[in-house]
Amino acid sequence: MFTSMLGPHTRTILTASVVGITLVFYFTLMSDAYAWSFPFFEWMETTWFGVIGKTWGAAFAFVQTIHLLSLALLGGTVLAAEGRVLGFLLTDVSSKIVIDRCHVLLVWALVILISTGVFMACGVALKVYYLPVFWYKMLALGAGILFHFYVRRPLLRFDLEEINPMIVKMTALASILVWFMVAATGRWIGFSG
Amino acid sequence: MNELIYNFAVWLDDTTYSAMLHESYYMYNWVESTHVLTLMVSLGMLFLIDLRMLGYAFPDVPASKIAERLNVPMLIGFTVMFVTGILLFYAVPVRSSQSVWFRIKMVLLVACAVNAFLFHKRMNESVSTWDVEARAPDRIRFGAWLSLGFWSIVVICGRFIAYDWLDCVRDQPAFIEFLAGCLDGQTRF
């Protein structure tokens, strides 16, 4: 009922609200939240995931590999879908089919990526707590998920021909960039600390 | 044979650029990051092709179309990975050449190449009869499963190279020393 009051641009308004609230939170309460979250990260290391991750290096490395493989799948789906939108890949296949089929795979990849990511974070919780690049990755991941489900998905439900081509191209480029940022910051965690 | 590989690795290790690459924090990390992140292009495309053959992706798009269109970006990705992989080996040649994981990875890469060749050969021979079907015939699906399995183990081995569990510098069981090609009295690791 509340969402119906917002009219046809519900998702856009909600996304803008979430982004606005996040920015306000970041600039006012972030330092407090950073301190408050410390016990949570301490607790993460005491969980089963944390203990396994810290005790068995091979288990940690194996989960890291699954994380990488799901990242590869996510990257493949993003590049295939955005390549179609930008007009350099699978141009002789309907854009709607490519976008929809890639979306299903992207969701699967994202679920595996987040599950394995939680396991890995538990194993090195206190290390990542002090790493700025970890927080950049979390911001990038949050931005990627919000962008994908609340900006790109609703927009590309329309026929591409009905949308301003510049907006379509900017959306595709933004999608590639945001997921690349997620991957690159993740890689950089390995080099830090 | 192991002595030959070791001597070659030591010679590479003594070259100026190998030391420069290894000691350069940013350059080495850029090369390694490029190697890992290009997985999204190479393996990403490969997964889409294999999953199409298995019926889990693009079931309503002809299989040949997916394989042909995604082949080019996949090969570009593999080329970048190959070049950066050589650079990574060049930066740490002795340890890499005596890593069990690296050796398994190299054998599996050959297996992947043979599998890809047979996969494409069989696909091109018969694709006209099943192109629009959601799932490829058993033989092609078997090739797709093999491809997914081999490449997953390649990534596992690649990740495990970073760990020193089975390095020659540590005391290892005879079997591991044999696999890694450790030499008696070697001075460089």
Side-chain angles (χ1 to χ4, degrees):
Chain A
M1 183 182 159
F2 168 71
T3 51
S4 64
M5 286 162 60
L6 299 174
H9 302 295
T10 307
R11 285 188 177 217
T12 311
I13 293 168
L14 285 177
T15 305
S17 309
V18 170
V19 171
I21 292 167
T22 307
L23 287 174
V24 170
F25 174 80
Y26 184 78
F27 287 110
T28 54
L29 297 169
M30 187 59 194
S31 54
D32 288 342
Y34 183 66
W36 295 337
S37 63
F38 185 75
F40 176 71
F41 278 78
E42 275 187 318
W43 170 79
M44 281 169 77
E45 286 209 351
T46 63
T47 59
W48 274 99
F49 282 174
V51 173
I52 293 170
K54 278 197 296 188
T55 313
W56 289 290
F60 187 84
F62 183 72
V63 174
Q64 253 183 342
T65 310
I66 299 172
H67 194 71
L68 272 178
L69 291 170
S70 56
L71 180 74
L73 179 61
L74 184 134
T77 58
V78 169
L79 287 175
E82 309 311 354
R84 173 63 187 89
V85 172
L86 290 169
F88 66 79
L89 213 57
L90 294 167
T91 45
D92 47 359
V93 182
S94 151
S95 59
K96 187 161 177 50
I97 286 179
V98 176
I99 290 165
D100 286 348
R101 301 297 176 267
C102 284
H103 171 73
V104 175
L105 293 171
L106 182 138
V107 171
W108 275 106
L110 204 54
V111 168
I112 302 170
L113 205 62
I114 292 173
S115 314
T116 50
V118 167
F119 175 89
M120 286 157 57
C122 285
V124 286
L126 289 177
K127 178 192 163 192
V128 294
Y129 175 80
Y130 289 109
L131 281 181
V133 72
F134 169 77
W135 297 100
Y136 299 151
K137 169 158 179 160
M138 291 303 107
L139 275 177
L141 181 64
I145 292 171
L146 278 177
F147 179 78
H148 182 83
F149 288 97
Y150 291 99
V151 178
R152 181 187 172 279
R153 234 1 233 158
L155 181 74
L156 297 186
R157 279 213 181 97
F158 296 97
D159 276 341
L160 291 188
E161 289 74 25
E162 291 177 20
I163 314 168
N164 183 331
M166 189 55 83
I167 291 177
V168 171
K169 286 191 166 57
M170 294 300 281
T171 307
L173 283 174
S175 174
I176 292 173
L177 280 177
V178 77
W179 291 117
F180 174 76
M181 192 69 80
V182 172
T185 47
R187 187 69 206 96
W188 215 255
I189 289 175
F191 296 133
S192 313
Chain B
M1 181 68 177
N2 281 324
E3 202 164 337
L4 194 71
I5 294 171
Y6 173 76
N7 288 334
F8 176 66
V10 167
W11 174 76
L12 277 181
D13 200 32
D14 284 338
T15 58
T16 313
Y17 288 111
S18 172
M20 283 170 72
L21 189 55
H22 185 233
E23 296 305 316
S24 163
Y25 176 76
Y26 284 105
M27 195 59 196
Y28 185 80
N29 284 354
W30 273 115
V31 174
E32 197 178 33
S33 297
T34 307
H35 189 70
V36 175
L37 294 180
T38 316
L39 275 177
M40 294 167 81
V41 184
S42 54
L43 280 198
M45 297 297 154
L46 182 96
F47 284 171
L48 292 183
I49 295 172
D50 287 340
L51 290 174
R52 167 61 187 89
M53 301 306 159
L54 296 171
Y56 298 125
F58 303 104
D60 42 5
V61 180
S64 61
K65 201 173 267 187
I66 293 292
E68 279 169 25
R69 304 298 183 272
L70 300 186
N71 221 13
V72 175
M74 181 182 77
L75 289 177
I76 292 171
F78 278 126
T79 306
V80 176
M81 289 194 83
F82 185 68
V83 172
T84 50
I86 287 176
L87 287 173
L88 288 174
F89 177 82
Y90 180 54
V92 195
V94 180
R95 182 173 176 270
S96 301
S97 65
Q98 291 190 321
S99 161
V100 172
W101 305 112
F102 179 82
R103 291 180 169 211
I104 298 172
K105 185 177 173 178
M106 290 304 110
V107 172
L108 280 171
L109 283 177
V110 174
C112 286
V114 172
N115 183 53
F117 173 75
L118 293 175
F119 178 86
H120 281 281
K121 187 169 172 283
R122 285 174 186 164
M123 195 185 82
N124 291 334
E125 281 169 0
S126 64
V127 73
S128 55
T129 57
W130 54 268
D131 203 15
V132 291
E133 288 175 23
R135 274 153 52 108
D138 289 347
R139 282 177 75 190
I140 303 290
R141 286 214 312 278
F142 179 68
W145 278 120
L146 268 187
S147 164
L148 288 174
F150 282 161
W151 279 107
S152 298
I153 303 173
V154 164
V155 176
I156 291 173
C157 290
R159 187 68 203 90
F160 280 17
I161 290 172
Y163 294 88
D164 64 353
W165 308 313
L166 304 180
D167 278 8
C168 290
V169 72
R170 291 171 159 222
D171 283 336
Q172 301 291 356
F175 175 65
I176 297 298
E177 287 198 348
F178 169 75
L179 281 183
C182 304
L183 299 173
D184 287 335
Q186 72 176 76
T187 50
R188 302 272 284 272
F189 295 96

